[in-house]
Amino acid sequence: MPRTPLPSEYLDALRKPNQCVVATIRPNGELSTAATWYELMDDSHILLNLDATRARMRHMREDPRVALTIFAADDWYSHVSISGEVVEFRKDEGLVDIDRVSEHYTGAPYPDRERDSWSVVIRISSWHAWHMPKISE
């Protein structure tokens, strides 16, 4: 897998609201995957926003290594897979981050205003792309 940085045309594609699956490592070493929203923060960091009760949040706190696969809306063969490490957990005060990500995907703020919302920043360490940059054309 190539190391960072990602080429600019890939970064442009990843700035769109694509389908994404995140993989985390359970305490027993087994892998766990879940669909998730994401936001490309800059050339080397991705933001996830999770409810504190989510299992993947516990997994990331135990082992910060993660992988994401981001798919094109109309062709799941067109994707980029990213490996990285969580470098920051922060309370999403006022739901600012989840609202921004929700608006990116749905056009509206996140509806659950009682959510215990946490932002998770992932530093990209390596990536692999297939049929890029077709993502969300």
Side-chain angles (χ1 to χ4, degrees):
M1 290 179 83
R3 302 307 246 179
T4 56
L6 281 85
S8 61
E9 64 270 18
Y10 294 8
L11 292 168
D12 290 343
L14 294 178
R15 287 186 180 92
K16 298 175 181 171
N18 301 295
Q19 301 167 32
C20 179
V21 173
V22 61
T24 58
I25 303 169
R26 294 178 179 154
N28 66 2
E30 291 181 358
L31 299 175
S32 176
T33 60
T36 193
W37 288 344
Y38 76 96
E39 177 186 51
L40 183 67
M41 297 175 64
D42 57 36
D43 292 358
S44 59
H45 293 88
I46 290 179
L47 173 76
L48 302 182
N49 191 279
L50 306 172
D51 187 283
T53 63
R54 297 290 184 208
R56 59 188 173 270
M57 177 70 120
R58 290 190 307 275
H59 301 163
M60 286 184 240
R61 287 188 183 279
E62 295 280 328
D63 188 327
R65 295 174 295 166
V66 298
L68 297 101
T69 299
I70 300 166
F71 301 93
D74 62 344
D75 178 10
W76 64 277
Y77 282 110
S78 179
H79 67 273
V80 62
S81 294
I82 293 170
S83 293
E85 181 175 359
V86 174
V87 294
E88 181 182 2
F89 293 96
R90 68 173 181 263
K91 181 81 172 140
D92 185 11
E93 298 295 338
L95 305 180
V96 173
D97 287 336
I98 190 57
D99 280 345
R100 188 178 62 252
V101 175
S102 179
E103 288 175 8
H104 185 62
Y105 276 87
T106 70
Y110 197 77
D112 180 358
R113 306 316 292 173
E114 302 303 315
R115 182 176 201 255
D116 187 6
S117 189
W118 284 79
S119 296
V120 178
V121 178
I122 298 165
R123 182 181 57 235
I124 301 168
S125 58
S126 60
W127 59 275
H128 165 79
W130 187 257
H131 294 169
M132 284 293 289
K134 185 179 179 185
I135 286 187
S136 287
E137 289 182 327

